[in-house]
Amino acid sequence: MKLVFLGTSAAQPTTRRGLSCTCLKVEGEILMFDAGEGMQVPYLRSKLGWNKKMRIFITHLHGDHCLGLLGLLQTMSMQRRTESVEIYGPPGTDEFVAANARMLGFSPSFPVIMETTEEGTVVDAPGYEVSACRAEHSVEAFSYRFSEKGGPGRFSTEKARGLGVPEGELWGTLQGGSAVSVGGRTVLPSDVLGEGKRGRTVGFSGDTRPTDKLAEFFQGCDYLVFDSTFADEMVKRARETGHSTAAEAAALAKNAGVKNLILTHFSARYSDTDDLLREAQKIHPSSYAASDLLEVEV
Amino acid sequence: MKLVFLGTSAAQPTTRRGLSCTCLKVEGEILMFDAGEGMQVPYLRSKLGWNKKMRIFITHLHGDHCLGLLGLLQTMSMQRRTESVEIYGPPGTDEFVAANARMLGFSPSFPVIMETTEEGTVVDAPGYEVSACRAEHSVEAFSYRFSEKGGPGRFSTEKARGLGVPEGELWGTLQGGSAVSVGGRTVLPSDVLGEGKRGRTVGFSGDTRPTDKLAEFFQGCDYLVFDSTFADEMVKRARETGHSTAAEAAALAKNAGVKNLILTHFSARYSDTDDLLREAQKIHPSSYAASDLLEVEV
């Protein structure tokens, strides 16, 4: 599983940073969080592929987070994509796509399934779940949390044989999590299965103030990608504009028991992010600054 | 006067070419022809400036020619632009901007003046004129022609003195193009003015088939920036999609007595444009291939 950062600038692009777009590459599938203008070029550079199974999650309807959707749908059509795309976003996302498709005269070559994001579970797929929580921004905005589903531990054929369970149907029953009876004795799944696999979790804040609600939502995330628009000295501006400082992101990550914090969405005024990273690391040492095309193994 | 190419790819961007946008830098003013998605980054790199007098001419409402408008207006607002922007485009351009401003919740910090393009003179400014002509594409599309206004020749103070015209009001009259009477003799402007300055002309085709009408419209242009989506072998596809091949662009330029042809809007299938350029140069030797960030002194 891999995080790929395609755009890490806030509001406007710089010559080094594009607009918001982060992909989570999961087993033959791409989960995209926001699609800012210009995300196609870094998408190409990252070789993520045009016909992969794809779900797109829009945090809010500001151009720097959703304008790239339109060109992306057109390019995927020109690439003769056949696989459907699911797009989740706040109310109005469907109108934004439909109105522009009409005004710009395009119709995708593949099914586009639009779903309005509400709080709670947004996607329940075989291998993972994505849930949403209301963020605090200048417009209606959502944060998302990806949770890989945990798996059972490894089945020990030696232990099963040792306990007299014959190979065949009964092994399947134990692997499925149910007890079996062998010669009058009960064998439990825990007798033959190793420790269960813990699912990995990744959070995406989108644009937001840090809130207690989000700290709870992101509780225990392995990775948290969080709004870090401003340095500490601009906390007033962060409050006014519905964003967070790097230090505020770090404080939330610490309170939420987040393992690794990845700062992103840097104001174009910062030519480098050293100060912001330093401010975050003072509070939460496991903090990193995203850059365009950065890839992180999760 | 300088042509600056910000995006030279057709329909979809590549890692080396962005979407359609060409600027003509004229005496403290920027005339932009199309504004494809992602044009802000090359605009930044070209250091064209956020608060210059600006007129934007949209050829047609396909996303690769107009989507960049939205982010551009937003960024110029964030840069606290005060100077107005005039936008000319086919019917629907105003709705495209207004609907997106509403859906994405932005309002420019400066006046945006929207004008619907019709054939004929579109702008008549003190130093130049821009006119439009219907192109032939899959949707309503316009080509534009920039014509610098010619100026009077240099005023020769020696000749004026030699003919006995005293310095002062009469010099102004001659410079303004009217004859004066000195000691019963008539002195004509042509007696004291050098050869008039011929205005420079630059044509922009946008997406189009080559047509006789356009050959006439672009008659005698110093520079012509023309749709060159395909190589010769794909002429059938060019016909089907309302585009031109490089050779067709060259034939039109030759018939129109165009001095310099600049090919642009290359299909993303071409990793280099050598073949297209060769095909064009066989017909019109003064042909060049545009690339992103290319600057041409006009």
Side-chain angles (χ1 to χ4, degrees), chain B residues 109-126:
Chain B
S109 63
F110 50 89
V112 175
I113 298 152
M114 304 288 316
E115 299 279 356
T116 299
T117 298
E118 288 173 16
E119 288 202 318
T121 301
V122 172
V123 171
D124 187 355

Side-chain angles (χ1 to χ4, degrees), chain A residues 80-134:
Chain A
R80 301 209 173 76
R81 182 184 175 97
T82 51
E83 180 80 49
S84 67
V85 170
E86 294 172 22
I87 302 175
Y88 302 84
T93 308
D94 49 355
E95 186 205 346
F96 168 71
V97 173
N100 276 294
R102 181 181 55 72
M103 292 187 290
L104 303 176
F106 75 90
S107 60
S109 62
F110 50 89
V112 175
I113 298 151
M114 304 287 314
E115 300 278 356
T116 300
T117 298
E118 288 173 18
E119 288 202 317
T121 302
V122 171
V123 171
D124 187 355
Y128 64 84
E129 216 182 271
V130 175
S131 53
C133 174
R134 229 166 260 283

Side-chain angles (χ1 to χ4, degrees), chain A:
Chain A
M1 208 157 76
K2 203 160 68 171
L3 271 169
V4 184
F5 291 86
L6 301 185
T8 59
S9 186
Q12 55 188 287
T14 72
T15 54
R16 290 169 57 201
R17 295 182 187 273
L19 295 173
S20 289
C21 184
T22 309
C23 289
L24 185 63
K25 207 176 153 188
V26 187
E27 195 79 31
E29 180 171 358
I30 291 160
L31 307 185
M32 184 181 290
F33 295 85
D34 284 330
E37 180 184 351
M39 51 63 63
Q40 283 182 71
V41 177
Y43 189 91
L44 268 172
R45 284 192 209 283
S46 296
K47 301 190 194 307
L48 288 162
W50 294 121
N51 204 27
K52 286 266 174 60
K53 194 167 161 55
M54 186 182 276
R55 289 188 160 112
I56 304 176
F57 302 88
I58 301 295
T59 60
H60 65 296
L61 286 181
H62 277 161
D64 57 320
H65 291 255
C66 66
L67 263 173
L69 260 185
L70 307 173
L72 179 66
L73 295 178
Q74 286 181 273
T75 292
M76 291 195 297
S77 292
M78 286 183 279
Q79 296 292 339
R80 301 209 173 76
R81 182 184 175 97
T82 51
E83 180 80 49
S84 67
V85 170
E86 294 172 22
I87 302 175
Y88 302 84
T93 308
D94 49 355
E95 186 205 346
F96 168 71
V97 173
N100 276 294
R102 181 181 55 72
M103 292 187 290
L104 303 176
F106 75 90
S107 60
S109 62
F110 50 89
V112 175
I113 298 151
M114 304 287 314
E115 300 278 356
T116 300
T117 298
E118 288 173 18
E119 288 202 317
T121 302
V122 171
V123 171
D124 187 355
Y128 64 84
E129 216 182 271
V130 175
S131 53
C133 174
R134 229 166 260 283
E136 188 181 314
H137 190 45
S138 56
V139 295
E140 183 165 19
F142 288 95
S143 297
Y144 293 99
R145 178 186 172 123
F146 165 90
S147 308
E148 189 183 28
K149 286 183 180 169
R154 211 174 63 82
F155 180 79
S156 167
T157 54
E158 303 80 43
K159 284 185 182 170
R161 286 207 180 89
L163 291 165
V165 187
E167 193 169 347
E169 200 181 323
L170 294 181
W171 284 23
T173 308
L174 284 165
Q175 283 167 328
S178 301
V180 298
S181 186
V182 182
R185 238 172 359 105
T186 298
V187 177
L188 299 172
S190 58
D191 294 334
V192 293
L193 293 173
E195 206 184 329
K197 198 183 83 184
R198 203 182 68 83
R200 291 160 288 185
T201 46
V202 186
F204 301 86
S205 73
D207 290 6
T208 188
R209 292 287 304 146
T211 64
D212 291 346
K213 187 174 175 169
L214 284 181
E216 194 179 317
F217 180 63
F218 289 131
Q219 197 65 40
C221 273
D222 294 310
Y223 285 85
L224 175 59
V225 180
F226 207 92
D227 179 334
S228 175
T229 309
F230 296 109
D232 234 6
E233 56 175 12
M234 294 199 73
V235 64
K236 190 162 163 282
R237 181 114 180 95
R239 273 191 216 111
E240 286 163 4
T241 56
H243 289 291
S244 302
T245 66
E248 287 175 327
L252 182 142
K254 189 183 171 191
N255 292 341
V258 162
K259 287 210 187 77
N260 303 289
L261 170 66
I262 306 184
L263 307 172
T264 190
H265 198 268
F266 302 109
S267 163
R269 60 171 53 73
Y270 302 114
S271 57
D272 75 67
T273 54
D274 293 356
D275 287 350
L276 285 82
L277 185 56
R278 215 171 299 124
E279 289 170 3
Q281 287 177 334
K282 260 191 223 159
I283 296 165
H284 190 66
S286 247
S287 296
Y288 308 88
S291 56
D292 285 23
L293 301 181
L294 172 70
E295 303 198 353
V296 177
E297 280 295 338
V298 172

Side-chain angles (χ1 to χ4, degrees), chain B residues 42 46 91 93 103 131 181 183 193 261:
Chain B
S46 296
T93 308
M103 292 188 290
S131 53
S181 186
L193 292 174
L261 170 66

